[in-house]
Amino acid sequence: MTEVAADLDRTFRALAEPHRRAILSSVRQQPRAVGEIAAALGLSQQIVSHHLKVLRAAGLVTGSRSGTRHLFAVRAEGLAVGKGFFDDFWPERLSALKQAVESSARTSDG
């Protein structure tokens, strides 16, 4: 398995869990501490910490210290792995759409 494939697997496994997606949404706009995330989502700090560990291992969040607080934020570079996978589908889908439109135009012209 290539490194890219392993990164993609880690990303999709991490994102498969609904709480992890909610945590990503929670830290998307600004860095937040575990307690803030837990309070916003109605989860325990222990559960949030576990999910953050998985998200961090997948490269989807980053942590930094601000005084005594440990803040977490989305790591956009980590999301690029999944985006790259889906981007590969667009040329194929756009080509199919183009063919459908051209076929429809020929049918209505003829």
Side-chain angles (χ1 to χ4, degrees):
M1 179 181 297
T2 68
E3 186 176 332
V4 172
D7 288 346
L8 189 60
D9 287 350
R10 269 191 300 278
T11 297
F12 285 157
R13 264 190 237 109
L15 293 174
E17 212 292 330
H19 289 124
R20 293 185 197 131
R21 292 192 304 272
I23 290 169
L24 276 179
S25 293
S26 177
V27 300
R28 186 169 81 190
Q29 298 299 321
Q30 67 184 36
R32 293 180 180 241
V34 172
E36 291 176 276
I37 299 166
L41 300 178
L43 300 171
S44 73
Q45 288 188 17
Q46 184 178 12
I47 289 174
V48 170
S49 291
H50 165 74
H51 288 308
L52 283 166
K53 182 178 177 181
V54 174
L55 290 167
R56 196 171 197 177
L60 299 173
V61 297
T62 186
S64 63
R65 289 260 179 219
S66 176
T68 59
R69 296 171 31 139
H70 196 171
L71 301 175
F72 292 88
V74 169
R75 185 174 170 271
E77 299 85 3
L79 295 171
V81 172
K83 182 181 179 303
F85 174 79
F86 288 113
D87 283 349
D88 288 345
F89 287 95
W90 283 109
E92 178 182 310
R93 299 308 310 153
L94 289 175
S95 177
L97 176 62
K98 179 182 177 202
Q99 289 175 355
V101 168
E102 287 173 348
S103 175
S104 176
R106 281 193 299 269
T107 303
S108 64
D109 287 344

